[in-house]
Amino acid sequence: MAAQASSGLVPGFPADFGWGVSTSSYQIEGAVDEGGRGQSIWDTYSHEPGRTARGETGDVSCDHYHHWQEDLDLMADLGVSVYRFSIAWPRVMPSGKGPLNEEGVDFYSRLVDGLLERGIMPFPTLYHWDLPQALEDEGGWVNRDTTQRFAEYAAAMFERLGDRVDHWLTHNEPWVTAFMGYIGSEKAPGVYNDWPQALRVSHHLLLSHGLAVQALRASSAASAKIGLAPNLHPTRPFSDSPEDVKAALTWDGFQNRWFLDPVFKGHYPEDMLAEYERFSFEEAVEEGDLAVISSPVDLLGVNFYHRAVVKTEPNSPYLGLTCVPTQLPLTEMGWDVTPDGLPEMLLRIKRDYGDIDIYITENGAAYPDKWDGGDIVEDPQRVEFIARHLEALSQAVAGGVHVKGYCVWSLLDNYEWEKGYDKRFGLYYVDYPTQRRIPKRSALWYRDQIAASRTGAA
Ligand code: IFM
C-alpha cells in the first residue's frame, strides 16, 4: 500500500485513541461446512428461495476462514489498534450447547494470537446474528432457555479466550435481531409482523446480555470490559404535523430507548410499555430480569449510520411508522448521510445515561465501487463519508463524551445479508472470484489518518 491518500485528515483525537475496523463472522468467514461448524439460522435463511438478492449466501463470502492471516496483515498495514469481529456460535458450539468444537475454538484462538502479535486489540462480539440452527429448532430467541444457552456459550469463550481478550461485546444490534427478524422479516429467521414474538425476543436478547455480563464477572477473566452494541439512530419528525412529531418520539422509544433504558436505568421506557400492552409484552418479563439486564457494563458500542426521519405509514408493520431518506445523495443502501447525528446521539447518551466509555463499533457506507484491474479502487465518497463522521465525532470528544475508539464498517467488502454482495462497505475491495483484496483510496486515507493522529500531525 505505497500510494498516497488524499489530504483532509481530521484532528481532535487523543494519541491513544482506538482506531479500528469491524467485521462479522457470517459476513466474511465462508467455510460454512468446514472445521466442524454447525448450521446457523443464516445458512437456513439465505438458502430459502426469495429471501436474499440473487439468492446469494454467505457460503464462501470473503473466505476469511482461509485468508485470515492475509486479512490481519491488511489491518496491520492500516495501523489499526482495534479489531472488532464476531465469534460464530455454531463454529465453536455446533448445536448451540454441549461440548465445544475444538477446531472452531482454535480458529478464534489463532486469530486472537495473530492480532496480539500485530499489536491489535481483539474486540469480539459474541452474537452477530448467526444463531445455531439447532437452537432455532427449539424456538430460538423466542424460547427463554436460549438465554441460558447464550450465557453458557459466553462463559466458555471467557474461559478459552479470556486470558488474551480483555474487551467483549455481547450483542450486535439487538433491534435488528428482534424486529427485522420478527416484524419486517428481512433478517433470519424471517418471521413477519409477529409483535408478541418480536418483543419476547428483544427481552430475551437483553436478558442474555445481562447473564453474559454476570458470567464474565464470575469467570477467571472478571476484570475484562464488556458491553453491547446497539444500532442507534437519533430521530426527527418528517414534518411538523403532530402525527409525525409523535411518530419520531415513538421510533426513538422503539429503536433507542427500548435497549438503552433497561441496560442503563433498569427499566423499560413507560411510553413503550404502554404501546406494547396490546401485545402482552409484560408476560415475557419475570421477577429479577431487569436487575440482570442492568448488570453494570464497562462500555457501550455504538453502531451509527444515519439519523432516522420518521413519518406515519399505515401499511408499515413497524407500528405504522416508517423512516424516509431526505437528503441526496444517499448511500447505496438508500441511507441519508447525517454526520451531525453522531455527536447528537453521543451527547444525548452522556446526558441521559451518564459518562460511559463509548466505542463507535460500526460506521461506514456502501458505494458503487468499481475495480479496473489496477492497484487501487477510487472511492472518494467513502473518504468524504468517513472524514465527515470523524469531524463530527471530534465534536463529541470536545464535548466531553468518553469516546475510546472508532471502527470503520468494514475492513472488507462482504456479504450484506439479504442484500447480498453488491453493497460494498469495505476499505478493501474484494474481487470474489479470485478472493483478491485491493485497497480502496479510503484505506490509504484511513491509514494516514491513524498515523497522523498518533503523532499529533492531524
Ligand atoms: O453489515 C451490517 C452489519 O452486519 C450490522 N450493522 C450494519 C451493517 C451495514 O448494514
Side-chain angles (χ1 to χ4, degrees), residues 355-366:
D355 274 328
I356 178 119
D357 284 356
I358 288 180
Y359 284 83
I360 307 305
T361 33
E362 288 185 24
N363 175 242

Side-chain angles (χ1 to χ4, degrees), residues 27 128-129 172-173 305 333 335 362 409 416-417 425:
Q27 292 180 272
H128 198 126
W129 308 348
N172 180 70
E173 302 184 0
Y305 287 92
M333 296 292 279
W335 295 343
E362 288 185 24
W409 182 271
E416 180 54 27
W417 306 108
F425 276 90

Side-chain angles (χ1 to χ4, degrees), residues 394-416:
S394 72
Q395 291 164 22
V397 173
V401 180
H402 295 190
V403 188
K404 308 297 279 184
Y406 169 90
C407 296
V408 173
W409 182 271
S410 182
L411 172 69
L412 304 169
D413 292 339
N414 58 53
Y415 180 63
E416 180 54 27

